[in-house]
């Protein structure tokens, strides 16, 4: 269910892009949800199918929390006009601190590069890892994109 929501959100967010008839280039970052775990067609393949003239580079890696992505994010080679960041579920599940600040840092880096960030988040879930409150963490992480977008002036 979460994978379908993430795929739909990415495709919907990108559907308005087009650059006045020009092909759009997209870089995707994310965890297993963004890489298409549990679905027959990954978000990258779905975008490629819907927009065959777009360039899509999939940097997503299953199990990758945003915290692990951040050390090399600023120097990661990107060509996309649009950068989709879909990490967060692993951060919430593992209770990793600093998600909001890492997301703000990533968004500001993308904006500084002259690119457009698109943020996706996992839908609230009943996840409860051994009674550790995973559902509450997932809901808290899912609320972060809005303040991060405000941090860059949206």
């Amino acid at each position: 269910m979460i994978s379908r929501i993430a795929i739909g959100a990415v495709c919907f967010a990108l559907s308005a892009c087009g650059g006045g008839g020009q092909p759009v280039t997209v870089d995707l970052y994310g965890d297993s949800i963004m890489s298409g775990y549990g679905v027959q067609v990954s978000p990258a393949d779905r975008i490629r199918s819907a927009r065959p003239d777009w360039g899509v580079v999939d940097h997503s890696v299953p199990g990758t929390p945003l915290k692990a992505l951040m050390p090399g994010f600023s120097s990661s080679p990107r060509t996309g006009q649009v950068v989709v960041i879909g990490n967060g579920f692993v951060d919430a599940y593992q209770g990793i601190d600093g998600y909001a600040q890492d997301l703000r840092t990533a968004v500001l880096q993308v904006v500084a590069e002259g690119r457009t960030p698109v943020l996706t988040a996992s839908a609230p879930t009943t996840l409860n890892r051994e009674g550790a409150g995973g559902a509450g963490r997932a809901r808290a992480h899912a609320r972060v994109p809005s303040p991060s977008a405000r941090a860059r002036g949206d």
Side-chain angles (χ1 to χ4, degrees), residues 12-83:
F12 178 77
L14 295 175
S15 66
C17 297
Q22 298 296 317
V24 173
T25 54
V26 181
D27 283 288
L28 301 175
Y29 291 88
D31 50 29
S32 58
I33 295 169
M34 183 63 73
S35 69
Y37 178 80
V39 296
Q40 291 182 350
V41 181
S42 72
D45 289 339
R46 190 168 299 273
I47 295 167
R48 287 181 189 115
S49 175
R51 303 282 191 224
D53 58 333
W54 286 16
V56 179
V57 179
D58 189 358
H59 302 276
S60 60
V61 178
T64 304
L66 184 61
K67 182 66 73 184
L69 177 69
M70 290 312 296
F73 187 77
S74 66
S75 61
S76 177
R78 281 181 281 282
T79 58
Q81 297 155 292
V82 176
V83 177

